[in-house]
Amino acid sequence: MEEQAVELPYPAQLTDPTRIRAAYLRMAKVALEEDFGDGADVSTLATVPADATGTKVMRARQAGVISGLDALAIVAEVADERHVELVPLVADGDRVEAGDEVARVEGKIQHILMLERTLLNILSHASGIATQTRAWVDAVEAAATSPQGCKVRDSRKTLPGMRMLEKRAIVHGGGYPHRYNLGDQVMVKDNHVELSNAAEAYARVREFLGEDATTWVEVEVDTLDQLSDLLAEGKARPPQVLLDNFTVEDTRKAVELRDQLAPQVLLESSGGLTLDVAGDYAAAGVESVAVGGLTHSVRALDIGLD
């Protein structure tokens, strides 16, 4: 019986409320320490009456996808002594247009102004990732030819301390996150095979893990010859192969080769991909594209506190 391709693994950390909360608490404490660690906000204390209360609105200034509201709730909790309440008006993952209200911030005006930049930094950064991810998802979904479709995946190219925020933003944008950390899955990349080749490196990983191991392994190849050797008959094949810096034409050839030798193996394109050619790679037949730029080169979504 022909083996069937399996589903990509999903990082358990991104659905674990305890892990999510712990990560956001760490991020919130660092962010607040950066703003309040060396003295008072003189400009606010000097110009705004201490007893003044009111409401300010977070408003999108451009269209996009919202992410980070769950993190802002933790920031408001950590800063509870500042008597500020965050009231979301949309949900993470929602599309918004320019001018739409995203959330209300209620409480003492002094404290709202002190927290303004921290709140906007987190929300605009995460929403920028979610917005860019959604653009990629829309592009590949319309063009995918694999029976499993084509998923948009991220990388570990995240800012220290913000991995949870950034990877959940990928999810809110419709993406399918890669491994959360080095222990989640095995990624055999070019630096791991300098003294051998991709097929030998994969054999060593299987030996290290043990024959009964269920750990997901992805192996990177740079050429069609490497792919052919890795998928050759009689060899144990990895569940997933990453095609690094392949042209669209070579990607089509790789898909044809995979279909002939090991149709159960999933293929992923990565390396220098841009949004304007995302659909071409999806149309070539890969099951996913990995895009480091979703996190390391993102442009923040313009959101203001009015």
Side-chain angles (χ1 to χ4, degrees):
M1 178 181 294
E2 182 180 281
E3 292 183 75
Q4 297 297 311
V6 293
E7 285 293 322
L8 292 169
Y10 194 94
Q13 296 91 337
L14 300 181
T15 58
D16 182 344
T18 301
R19 294 287 293 269
I20 294 169
R21 177 177 173 78
Y24 284 166
L25 280 172
R26 288 193 299 270
M27 182 180 68
K29 289 174 181 177
V30 170
L32 294 172
E33 173 63 24
E34 287 174 346
D35 268 341
F36 298 105
D38 292 312
D41 178 6
V42 174
S43 54
T44 295
L45 294 175
T47 60
V48 179
D51 59 353
T53 61
T55 299
K56 288 188 174 291
V57 176
M58 286 184 168
R59 193 185 309 273
R61 293 174 176 167
Q62 61 184 133
V65 177
I66 295 301
S67 179
L69 289 171
D70 55 351
L72 295 196
I74 301 297
V75 175
E77 178 184 326
V78 173
D80 183 59
E81 72 277 7
R82 301 188 184 280
H83 310 293
V84 169
E85 181 181 3
L86 178 80
V87 182
L89 301 176
V90 298
D92 286 322
D94 283 355
R95 293 181 188 258
V96 296
E97 300 297 328
D100 285 353
E101 295 183 355
V102 176
R104 292 196 306 269
V105 187
E106 304 173 346
K108 291 189 175 182
I109 299 298
Q110 281 189 347
H111 298 162
I112 292 174
L113 295 179
M114 292 176 187
L115 291 174
E116 173 184 5
R117 180 43 49 199
T118 297
L119 297 175
L120 289 177
N121 282 349
I122 292 171
L123 187 64
S124 60
H125 178 64
S127 296
I129 293 172
T131 299
Q132 181 72 354
T133 301
R134 173 51 64 183
W136 278 81
V137 170
D138 290 345
V140 302
E141 283 185 347
T145 59
S146 169
Q148 294 198 36
C150 184
K151 294 180 172 64
V152 174
R153 310 188 75 196
D154 59 354
S155 69
R156 288 188 299 109
K157 297 174 183 178
T158 56
L159 294 174
M162 301 189 76
R163 180 165 294 173
M164 182 65 74
L165 179 77
E166 295 182 348
K167 281 189 169 284
R168 280 181 61 80
I170 296 292
V171 175
H172 294 149
Y176 198 97
H178 242 296
R179 59 182 178 168
Y180 191 82
N181 57 39
L182 290 169
D184 285 353
Q185 304 166 29
V186 177
M187 175 75 80
V188 181
K189 296 184 67 68
D190 53 358
N191 287 336
H192 300 123
V193 302
E194 288 183 344
L195 299 180
S196 57
N197 58 54
E200 290 180 14
Y202 178 56
R204 292 177 182 177
V205 167
R206 282 175 54 86
E207 181 180 3
F208 183 89
L209 292 174
E211 290 297 323
D212 297 328
T214 59
T215 305
W216 186 269
V217 181
E218 182 173 9
V219 180
E220 176 184 302
V221 298
D222 300 318
T223 68
L224 288 167
D225 286 342
Q226 286 181 337
L227 178 64
S228 179
D229 183 46
L230 183 63
L231 301 184
E233 185 175 355
K235 292 184 177 180
R237 285 88 167 234
Q240 187 178 23
V241 176
L242 185 148
L243 310 174
D244 188 43
N245 287 302
F246 276 48
T247 65
V248 173
E249 180 58 31
D250 279 349
T251 300
R252 292 193 189 98
K253 293 177 181 178
V255 171
E256 292 174 359
L257 187 62
R258 181 275 308 271
D259 291 346
Q260 293 171 8
L261 298 177
Q264 77 278 8
V265 173
L266 302 179
L267 293 181
E268 179 168 272
S269 290
S270 183
L273 303 184
T274 55
L275 184 57
D276 61 315
V277 297
D280 296 333
Y281 280 87
V286 297
E287 283 71 38
S288 59
V289 294
V291 189
L294 293 176
T295 51
H296 73 60
S297 300
V298 70
R299 179 178 180 180
L301 188 69
D302 192 0
I303 300 173
L305 185 70
D306 302 321

